[in-house]
Amino acid sequence: MREIDRLTTRDYQITSLSLMQAAAEACFQAIANYFDGDLAGKKALLLCGPGNNGGDGAALALKLKRAGVNTDVVLFGHVDQTKDDARANFEIVREQAQINVASSAVFNQTEGALSFVECDNAETLGNLTLISQACDLVVDALFGTGLKRPLEGILLQVVEHLRAIRAARERLETARPLIVSIDVPSGLNADSAQPIGDAVASDLTITFTAPKPANVLPPASHLNGRLVVANIGSPATLVGDAKPQLFVIEENDARQWLTSTRYTPESFKNTHGHALVIAGSRGYAGAAVLCGNAAMRSGAGLVTIATPASAQAAVAASAMPEVMTTALAETDRGAVSDDAIDHVMKLAARVDVIAVGPGLSADDERTRRFVFSLVKQRTVPVVIDADALNCLAAYSGNGWPSELQGSEQAPLILTPHAGEMLRLLGTKEKSVLNDRVATARDFATKHKLILVLKGARSLIAAPDGRVFIIPTGNAGLGTAGAGDTLTGIITGFIAQDR
């Protein structure tokens, strides 16, 4: 992002001060939208660091003042310690402030007025609690994208103060004051999903040009509140030229795909593909039903569930009437056997995509051999989930079998949750998932496959190294059957896009 800012000023004659003013305007608009445009008479407290993030805060303070907001600005440091554009804005704030003292407990109470305090010790902090309680808005403009180490000293105390404000607000069951962060909540490393220390928990974060990893990757993203990504003037071509490898899925991405695969007056069942779902075992018919029904409901033209013979009646009784079923050879425990491979490969020759795994069971060596043979001999895309993933990890004895590689003609799509991912990696060390993006990217590129790593903000990693963040979903998905349904949806989507 720093490089994009630099190129914007160098190649497009947009000054860095103009970018800072545009950032402040974006913050002002987001705040005004929150208050439905009714800002006159509101009270705001802006907590500013000495860097560019603080300079954004100072520019925002001037805009709030002009809108009739009673505005108090606290700079943690001194104006003569600031530089360049930030200093220019702080000097304007200092010149326009009705109250301007070095480290006073005095804050202004005049509607539409501006006060400015330079603070380099804890003297002012006690008064912040009192003034915050009367505020409609507190702006965190302490640190932006440059922080690499935990906060300490007075800035850590400011974050603790904001935590106390939030706790008091929850205790009193009030929405005031609104806590807003500029770019990223202060205390976070913008490049990391993992918090590096105490950080501000915001209600609203306004970031610029493109989101940063800490804006969108949990657990850091949980501190952002609602995220607004604002265009401040950097051309989109500069973002593309930077060749980013990390993306956020947006509504329009899904909408375009749904439009391109929609049913038309000339559509018929074969137009939208045939999906084969290999799932279920004795006592686990529900997983097969959920997966098959989801494939049908998501738009596949035809769906066949292949399930062990002892589970077929239960599957057929519960599945949608449109869904076909077929019986597979089974082990003595009612799981699919490797004796079924020839029959399944004949079925596979007539379909566009295969899903394998939900409710399959991974306890029997013959089931594991079946799954390995299916994936090895495939000629169409295969979506691998649940017990099929566990079968393959157990088959190799040390994670994903290295001889299984995806291809453009017959892609592999894996959908593990965290525990399954560890088994695919052949480890029990949970810390390898601290950087989920890197782990997903490395696995997908190494094995030339598509990896859907489920969890809060699920990730899709592609064989070319791109990783896509899915920002939707909620905690209600953490229940039995959600993964089976997701596998069916993915399978149905692939069927109709072949």
Side-chain angles (χ1 to χ4, degrees):
M1 293 306 303
R2 283 190 291 272
E3 179 67 4
I4 288 171
D5 286 347
R6 186 186 71 81
L7 292 175
T8 300
T9 60
R10 189 193 73 180
D11 298 340
Y12 292 87
Q13 290 74 54
I14 300 174
T15 66
S16 57
L17 184 60
S18 295
L19 289 176
M20 184 171 284
Q21 297 298 332
E25 178 63 24
C27 292
F28 175 81
Q29 291 298 331
I31 292 167
N33 290 340
Y34 177 87
F35 289 104
D36 295 324
D38 183 20
L39 290 176
K42 296 288 192 296
K43 185 169 180 58
L45 173 64
L46 289 91
L47 307 174
C48 300
N52 283 341
N53 196 253
D56 293 338
L60 171 61
L62 297 170
K63 293 179 181 296
L64 291 170
K65 173 185 177 293
R66 286 195 289 271
V69 178
N70 181 14
T71 306
D72 296 311
V73 179
V74 180
L75 168 61
F76 292 93
H78 296 277
V79 173
D80 58 11
Q81 296 171 332
T82 62
K83 298 178 181 179
D84 304 325
D85 301 329
R87 180 161 187 164
N89 281 323
F90 280 120
E91 287 178 343
I92 295 171
V93 168
R94 184 169 60 182
E95 291 169 2
Q96 293 190 13
Q98 283 85 347
I99 299 176
N100 176 10
V101 289
S103 58
S104 172
V106 179
F107 290 91
N108 84 77
Q109 302 296 321
T110 305
E111 183 174 316
L114 176 68
S115 75
F116 178 64
V117 174
E118 296 172 289
C119 175
D120 58 4
N121 55 55
E123 179 181 348
T124 307
L125 291 181
N127 301 296
L128 290 183
T129 301
L130 294 175
I131 196 165
S132 297
Q133 292 172 351
C135 282
D136 300 285
L137 168 69
V138 176
V139 176
D140 156 35
L142 298 171
F143 279 98
T145 58
L147 189 68
K148 302 297 181 186
R149 61 184 182 183
L151 295 176
E152 56 187 18
I154 191 170
L155 294 174
L156 177 59
Q157 294 178 49
V158 175
V159 172
E160 293 170 345
H161 158 75
L162 290 175
R163 185 186 301 119
I165 291 175
R166 195 176 188 91
R169 193 181 69 180
E170 293 173 357
R171 187 171 60 253
L172 297 172
E173 298 183 347
T174 178
R176 296 175 62 251
L178 177 73
I179 300 175
V180 177
S181 287
I182 298 179
D183 222 0
V184 294
S186 293
L188 294 178
N189 177 343
D191 295 325
S192 175
Q194 299 296 326
I196 56 175
D198 285 348
V200 175
S202 298
D203 302 303
L204 173 65
T205 298
I206 304 101
T207 198
F208 312 118
T209 306
K212 321 308 182 286
N215 292 139
V216 290
L217 290 171
S221 62
H222 297 323
L223 297 175
N224 283 258
R226 177 171 173 262
L227 179 68
V228 172
V229 182
N231 179 6
I232 60 171
S234 294
T237 53
L238 289 181
V239 178
D241 291 344
K243 295 181 172 56
Q245 289 288 84
L246 187 61
F247 301 84
V248 179
I249 298 291
E250 296 180 303
E251 179 181 341
N252 196 48
D253 297 317
R255 187 179 299 279
Q256 287 179 357
W257 187 88
L258 290 169
T259 299
S260 69
T261 58
R262 64 169 45 148
Y263 277 59
T264 66
E266 292 78 25
S267 294
F268 57 100
K269 59 188 178 183
N270 290 328
T271 306
H272 296 277
H274 188 171
L276 174 62
V277 174
I278 305 170
S281 57
R282 189 183 302 155
Y284 292 91
V289 172
L290 287 167
C291 187
N293 284 357
M296 194 83 234
R297 290 182 181 275
S298 63
L302 293 162
V303 176
T304 298
I305 300 177
T307 194
S310 60
Q312 185 188 12
V315 170
S318 299
M320 296 170 62
E322 303 94 316
V323 174
M324 299 172 285
T325 66
T326 186
L328 300 179
E330 63 184 14
T331 67
D332 57 1
R333 299 180 64 179
V336 64
S337 163
D338 55 348
D339 289 338
I341 190 63
D342 290 340
H343 175 50
V344 166
M345 294 315 297
K346 290 177 181 177
L347 294 172
R350 302 195 299 269
V351 304
D352 299 285
V353 59
I354 299 170
V356 59
L360 201 66
S361 176
D363 297 332
D364 196 295
E365 180 63 29
R366 299 186 69 185
T367 306
R368 298 170 188 170
R369 285 201 298 268
F370 166 81
V371 175
F372 180 85
S373 297
L374 170 68
V375 177
K376 186 72 173 176
Q377 298 178 49
R378 77 195 186 281
T379 57
V380 296
V382 178
V383 183
I384 309 173
D385 183 36
D387 281 335
L389 295 171
N390 296 328
C391 280
L392 292 171
Y395 181 87
S396 76
N398 188 33
W400 178 259
S402 59
E403 60 266 45
L404 297 181
Q405 299 277 303
S407 67
E408 289 188 15
Q409 296 73 27
L412 295 176
I413 301 93
L414 279 57
T415 62
H417 56 55
E420 291 162 346
M421 189 70 227
L422 291 176
R423 287 190 280 277
L424 293 175
L425 292 168
T427 182
K428 294 182 179 179
E429 185 55 58
K430 295 181 179 179
S431 63
V432 300
L433 295 178
N434 285 348
D435 189 342
R436 296 169 71 242
V437 170
T439 298
R441 176 181 286 128
D442 290 346
F443 191 90
T445 55
K446 179 180 180 181
H447 301 293
K448 299 180 175 60
L449 49 77
I450 297 168
L451 181 75
V452 181
L453 181 54
K454 296 184 289 195
R457 299 285 170 95
S458 295
L459 304 177
I460 304 172
D464 62 5
R466 292 176 298 159
V467 178
F468 300 84
I469 304 164
I470 303 174
T472 57
N474 57 68
L477 291 172
T479 187
D484 306 324
T485 302
L486 174 64
T487 298
I489 292 171
I490 293 172
T491 304
F493 281 178
I494 294 172
Q496 57 197 295
D497 199 34
R498 293 297 288 170

PDB file of all heavy atoms in Angstrom, residues 13 33 47 66 72 88 100 106 110 113 163 186 189 204 227 243 266 343 358 381 415:
ATOM      1  N   GLN A  13       0.233  12.757 -10.282  1.00  0.00           N
ATOM      2  CA  GLN A  13       0.217  14.141  -9.820  1.00  0.00           C
ATOM      3  C   GLN A  13      -0.847  14.384  -8.727  1.00  0.00           C
ATOM      4  O   GLN A  13      -1.485  15.432  -8.678  1.00  0.00           O
ATOM      5  CB  GLN A  13      -0.013  15.119 -10.995  1.00  0.00           C
ATOM      6  CG  GLN A  13       1.170  15.222 -11.951  1.00  0.00           C
ATOM      7  CD  GLN A  13       1.305  14.008 -12.849  1.00  0.00           C
ATOM      8  OE1 GLN A  13       0.351  13.627 -13.524  1.00  0.00           O
ATOM      9  NE2 GLN A  13       2.477  13.388 -12.869  1.00  0.00           N
ATOM     10  N   ASN A  33     -22.645   8.978   7.696  1.00  0.00           N
ATOM     11  CA  ASN A  33     -23.631   7.958   7.329  1.00  0.00           C
ATOM     12  C   ASN A  33     -24.136   7.218   8.552  1.00  0.00           C
ATOM     13  O   ASN A  33     -25.327   6.899   8.654  1.00  0.00           O
ATOM     14  CB  ASN A  33     -23.027   6.971   6.327  1.00  0.00           C
ATOM     15  CG  ASN A  33     -22.801   7.588   4.965  1.00  0.00           C
ATOM     16  OD1 ASN A  33     -23.396   8.609   4.622  1.00  0.00           O
ATOM     17  ND2 ASN A  33     -21.934   6.973   4.173  1.00  0.00           N
ATOM     18  N   LEU A  47      -8.187  10.712  19.195  1.00  0.00           N
ATOM     19  CA  LEU A  47      -6.943  10.312  19.843  1.00  0.00           C
ATOM     20  C   LEU A  47      -5.924  10.040  18.753  1.00  0.00           C
ATOM     21  O   LEU A  47      -6.054   9.077  17.992  1.00  0.00           O
ATOM     22  CB  LEU A  47      -7.176   9.067  20.702  1.00  0.00           C
ATOM     23  CG  LEU A  47      -8.326   9.188  21.710  1.00  0.00           C
ATOM     24  CD1 LEU A  47      -8.570   7.853  22.418  1.00  0.00           C
ATOM     25  CD2 LEU A  47      -8.035  10.291  22.727  1.00  0.00           C
ATOM     26  N   ARG A  66     -16.186  21.715  11.196  1.00  0.00           N
ATOM     27  CA  ARG A  66     -16.974  22.482  10.230  1.00  0.00           C
ATOM     28  C   ARG A  66     -18.415  21.981  10.136  1.00  0.00           C
ATOM     29  O   ARG A  66     -19.307  22.718   9.730  1.00  0.00           O
ATOM     30  CB  ARG A  66     -16.298  22.418   8.854  1.00  0.00           C
ATOM     31  CG  ARG A  66     -15.037  23.277   8.759  1.00  0.00           C
ATOM     32  CD  ARG A  66     -14.605  23.478   7.320  1.00  0.00           C
ATOM     33  NE  ARG A  66     -14.071  22.257   6.735  1.00  0.00           N
ATOM     34  CZ  ARG A  66     -12.789  21.905   6.795  1.00  0.00           C
ATOM     35  NH1 ARG A  66     -11.915  22.685   7.433  1.00  0.00           N
ATOM     36  NH2 ARG A  66     -12.375  20.797   6.225  1.00  0.00           N
ATOM     37  N   ASP A  72     -12.686  17.511  20.296  1.00  0.00           N
ATOM     38  CA  ASP A  72     -11.476  17.544  21.117  1.00  0.00           C
ATOM     39  C   ASP A  72     -10.421  16.661  20.475  1.00  0.00           C
ATOM     40  O   ASP A  72     -10.693  15.500  20.144  1.00  0.00           O
ATOM     41  CB  ASP A  72     -11.753  17.035  22.530  1.00  0.00           C
ATOM     42  CG  ASP A  72     -12.725  17.918  23.296  1.00  0.00           C
ATOM     43  OD1 ASP A  72     -12.510  19.142  23.299  1.00  0.00           O
ATOM     44  OD2 ASP A  72     -13.672  17.382  23.888  1.00  0.00           O
ATOM     45  N   ALA A  88       1.554  19.304   8.915  1.00  0.00           N
ATOM     46  CA  ALA A  88       0.761  20.380   8.322  1.00  0.00           C
ATOM     47  C   ALA A  88      -0.650  20.394   8.905  1.00  0.00           C
ATOM     48  O   ALA A  88      -1.189  21.457   9.242  1.00  0.00           O
ATOM     49  CB  ALA A  88       0.708  20.212   6.811  1.00  0.00           C
ATOM     50  N   ASN A 100      -6.016  25.513  23.562  1.00  0.00           N
ATOM     51  CA  ASN A 100      -4.781  24.928  23.055  1.00  0.00           C
ATOM     52  C   ASN A 100      -3.752  24.980  24.178  1.00  0.00           C
ATOM     53  O   ASN A 100      -3.190  26.026  24.469  1.00  0.00           O
ATOM     54  CB  ASN A 100      -4.302  25.724  21.840  1.00  0.00           C
ATOM     55  CG  ASN A 100      -2.973  25.220  21.316  1.00  0.00           C
ATOM     56  OD1 ASN A 100      -2.488  24.179  21.720  1.00  0.00           O
ATOM     57  ND2 ASN A 100      -2.381  26.006  20.426  1.00  0.00           N
ATOM     58  N   VAL A 106      -8.145  20.572  30.700  1.00  0.00           N
ATOM     59  CA  VAL A 106      -9.258  21.363  30.185  1.00  0.00           C
ATOM     60  C   VAL A 106      -9.630  20.903  28.785  1.00  0.00           C
ATOM     61  O   VAL A 106      -8.781  20.811  27.905  1.00  0.00           O
ATOM     62  CB  VAL A 106      -8.890  22.857  30.149  1.00  0.00           C
ATOM     63  CG1 VAL A 106     -10.045  23.668  29.579  1.00  0.00           C
ATOM     64  CG2 VAL A 106      -8.507  23.349  31.531  1.00  0.00           C
ATOM     65  N   THR A 110     -17.883  23.899  24.173  1.00  0.00           N
ATOM     66  CA  THR A 110     -18.626  24.791  23.290  1.00  0.00           C
ATOM     67  C   THR A 110     -19.027  24.059  22.023  1.00  0.00           C
ATOM     68  O   THR A 110     -18.183  23.452  21.349  1.00  0.00           O
ATOM     69  CB  THR A 110     -17.767  26.012  22.924  1.00  0.00           C
ATOM     70  OG1 THR A 110     -17.318  26.632  24.132  1.00  0.00           O
ATOM     71  CG2 THR A 110     -18.578  27.002  22.109  1.00  0.00           C
ATOM     72  N   ALA A 113     -16.990  23.794  18.613  1.00  0.00           N
ATOM     73  CA  ALA A 113     -15.662  24.327  18.882  1.00  0.00           C
ATOM     74  C   ALA A 113     -14.617  23.228  18.754  1.00  0.00           C
ATOM     75  O   ALA A 113     -14.927  22.047  18.639  1.00  0.00           O
ATOM     76  CB  ALA A 113     -15.616  24.954  20.269  1.00  0.00           C
ATOM     77  N   ARG A 163     -10.771   0.207  26.044  1.00  0.00           N
ATOM     78  CA  ARG A 163     -11.402  -1.043  26.459  1.00  0.00           C
ATOM     79  C   ARG A 163     -12.354  -0.787  27.626  1.00  0.00           C
ATOM     80  O   ARG A 163     -13.459  -1.359  27.691  1.00  0.00           O
ATOM     81  CB  ARG A 163     -10.338  -2.062  26.857  1.00  0.00           C
ATOM     82  CG  ARG A 163     -10.931  -3.432  27.193  1.00  0.00           C
ATOM     83  CD  ARG A 163      -9.901  -4.399  27.727  1.00  0.00           C
ATOM     84  NE  ARG A 163      -8.829  -4.615  26.775  1.00  0.00           N
ATOM     85  CZ  ARG A 163      -7.556  -4.341  27.001  1.00  0.00           C
ATOM     86  NH1 ARG A 163      -7.185  -3.816  28.161  1.00  0.00           N
ATOM     87  NH2 ARG A 163      -6.643  -4.563  26.095  1.00  0.00           N
ATOM     88  N   SER A 186      -5.757   0.413  16.179  1.00  0.00           N
ATOM     89  CA  SER A 186      -4.398   0.588  16.689  1.00  0.00           C
ATOM     90  C   SER A 186      -4.009  -0.563  17.610  1.00  0.00           C
ATOM     91  O   SER A 186      -4.788  -1.006  18.443  1.00  0.00           O
ATOM     92  CB  SER A 186      -4.285   1.915  17.436  1.00  0.00           C
ATOM     93  OG  SER A 186      -4.432   2.992  16.548  1.00  0.00           O
ATOM     94  N   ASN A 189      -0.857  -5.382  13.869  1.00  0.00           N
ATOM     95  CA  ASN A 189       0.047  -5.368  12.732  1.00  0.00           C
ATOM     96  C   ASN A 189      -0.822  -5.562  11.499  1.00  0.00           C
ATOM     97  O   ASN A 189      -1.469  -6.597  11.332  1.00  0.00           O
ATOM     98  CB  ASN A 189       1.070  -6.497  12.865  1.00  0.00           C
ATOM     99  CG  ASN A 189       2.018  -6.601  11.675  1.00  0.00           C
ATOM    100  OD1 ASN A 189       1.753  -6.055  10.604  1.00  0.00           O
ATOM    101  ND2 ASN A 189       3.118  -7.310  11.859  1.00  0.00           N
ATOM    102  N   LEU A 204     -16.363   0.554  14.024  1.00  0.00           N
ATOM    103  CA  LEU A 204     -16.295   0.910  12.610  1.00  0.00           C
ATOM    104  C   LEU A 204     -14.843   1.198  12.267  1.00  0.00           C
ATOM    105  O   LEU A 204     -14.169   1.948  12.971  1.00  0.00           O
ATOM    106  CB  LEU A 204     -17.153   2.154  12.348  1.00  0.00           C
ATOM    107  CG  LEU A 204     -17.098   2.795  10.964  1.00  0.00           C
ATOM    108  CD1 LEU A 204     -17.648   1.855   9.900  1.00  0.00           C
ATOM    109  CD2 LEU A 204     -17.866   4.131  10.960  1.00  0.00           C
ATOM    110  N   LEU A 227     -16.446  -2.873   8.489  1.00  0.00           N
ATOM    111  CA  LEU A 227     -15.327  -2.389   7.682  1.00  0.00           C
ATOM    112  C   LEU A 227     -15.831  -1.632   6.471  1.00  0.00           C
ATOM    113  O   LEU A 227     -16.684  -2.126   5.729  1.00  0.00           O
ATOM    114  CB  LEU A 227     -14.448  -3.562   7.234  1.00  0.00           C
ATOM    115  CG  LEU A 227     -13.241  -3.198   6.359  1.00  0.00           C
ATOM    116  CD1 LEU A 227     -12.208  -2.417   7.169  1.00  0.00           C
ATOM    117  CD2 LEU A 227     -12.611  -4.461   5.762  1.00  0.00           C
ATOM    118  N   LYS A 243       0.185  -6.955  -8.510  1.00  0.00           N
ATOM    119  CA  LYS A 243       0.012  -8.416  -8.566  1.00  0.00           C
ATOM    120  C   LYS A 243      -0.300  -9.015  -7.196  1.00  0.00           C
ATOM    121  O   LYS A 243       0.427  -9.887  -6.691  1.00  0.00           O
ATOM    122  CB  LYS A 243       1.253  -9.069  -9.179  1.00  0.00           C
ATOM    123  CG  LYS A 243       1.462  -8.685 -10.643  1.00  0.00           C
ATOM    124  CD  LYS A 243       2.692  -9.367 -11.230  1.00  0.00           C
ATOM    125  CE  LYS A 243       2.779  -9.124 -12.735  1.00  0.00           C
ATOM    126  NZ  LYS A 243       2.771  -7.696 -13.094  1.00  0.00           N
ATOM    127  N   GLU A 266     -33.962 -22.349 -22.862  1.00  0.00           N
ATOM    128  CA  GLU A 266     -33.501 -23.528 -23.596  1.00  0.00           C
ATOM    129  C   GLU A 266     -32.852 -24.570 -22.686  1.00  0.00           C
ATOM    130  O   GLU A 266     -32.366 -25.607 -23.156  1.00  0.00           O
ATOM    131  CB  GLU A 266     -32.488 -23.122 -24.676  1.00  0.00           C
ATOM    132  CG  GLU A 266     -33.075 -22.303 -25.816  1.00  0.00           C
ATOM    133  CD  GLU A 266     -33.287 -20.844 -25.432  1.00  0.00           C
ATOM    134  OE1 GLU A 266     -32.576 -20.376 -24.518  1.00  0.00           O
ATOM    135  OE2 GLU A 266     -34.160 -20.189 -26.015  1.00  0.00           O
ATOM    136  N   HIS A 343     -17.619 -50.416 -10.368  1.00  0.00           N
ATOM    137  CA  HIS A 343     -18.965 -49.884 -10.588  1.00  0.00           C
ATOM    138  C   HIS A 343     -18.949 -48.353 -10.546  1.00  0.00           C
ATOM    139  O   HIS A 343     -19.578 -47.690 -11.388  1.00  0.00           O
ATOM    140  CB  HIS A 343     -19.912 -50.440  -9.524  1.00  0.00           C
ATOM    141  CG  HIS A 343     -21.293 -49.884  -9.575  1.00  0.00           C
ATOM    142  ND1 HIS A 343     -22.037 -49.820 -10.738  1.00  0.00           N
ATOM    143  CD2 HIS A 343     -22.085 -49.334  -8.601  1.00  0.00           C
ATOM    144  CE1 HIS A 343     -23.219 -49.270 -10.492  1.00  0.00           C
ATOM    145  NE2 HIS A 343     -23.265 -48.972  -9.197  1.00  0.00           N
ATOM    146  N   PRO A 358     -18.789 -37.303   2.746  1.00  0.00           N
ATOM    147  CA  PRO A 358     -19.699 -37.115   3.880  1.00  0.00           C
ATOM    148  C   PRO A 358     -20.268 -38.437   4.400  1.00  0.00           C
ATOM    149  O   PRO A 358     -20.849 -39.214   3.638  1.00  0.00           O
ATOM    150  CB  PRO A 358     -20.803 -36.226   3.293  1.00  0.00           C
ATOM    151  CG  PRO A 358     -20.110 -35.452   2.218  1.00  0.00           C
ATOM    152  CD  PRO A 358     -19.149 -36.424   1.611  1.00  0.00           C
ATOM    153  N   PRO A 381     -13.659 -33.475 -12.235  1.00  0.00           N
ATOM    154  CA  PRO A 381     -13.358 -32.862 -10.940  1.00  0.00           C
ATOM    155  C   PRO A 381     -13.905 -33.702  -9.783  1.00  0.00           C
ATOM    156  O   PRO A 381     -14.982 -34.301  -9.893  1.00  0.00           O
ATOM    157  CB  PRO A 381     -14.065 -31.507 -11.016  1.00  0.00           C
ATOM    158  CG  PRO A 381     -14.231 -31.226 -12.459  1.00  0.00           C
ATOM    159  CD  PRO A 381     -14.423 -32.561 -13.116  1.00  0.00           C
ATOM    160  N   THR A 415     -12.036 -29.764   1.047  1.00  0.00           N
ATOM    161  CA  THR A 415     -12.793 -28.858   1.929  1.00  0.00           C
ATOM    162  C   THR A 415     -12.586 -29.205   3.399  1.00  0.00           C
ATOM    163  O   THR A 415     -13.537 -29.522   4.113  1.00  0.00           O
ATOM    164  CB  THR A 415     -14.288 -28.903   1.587  1.00  0.00           C
ATOM    165  OG1 THR A 415     -14.772 -30.231   1.802  1.00  0.00           O
ATOM    166  CG2 THR A 415     -14.542 -28.514   0.145  1.00  0.00           C
TER     167      THR A 415
END
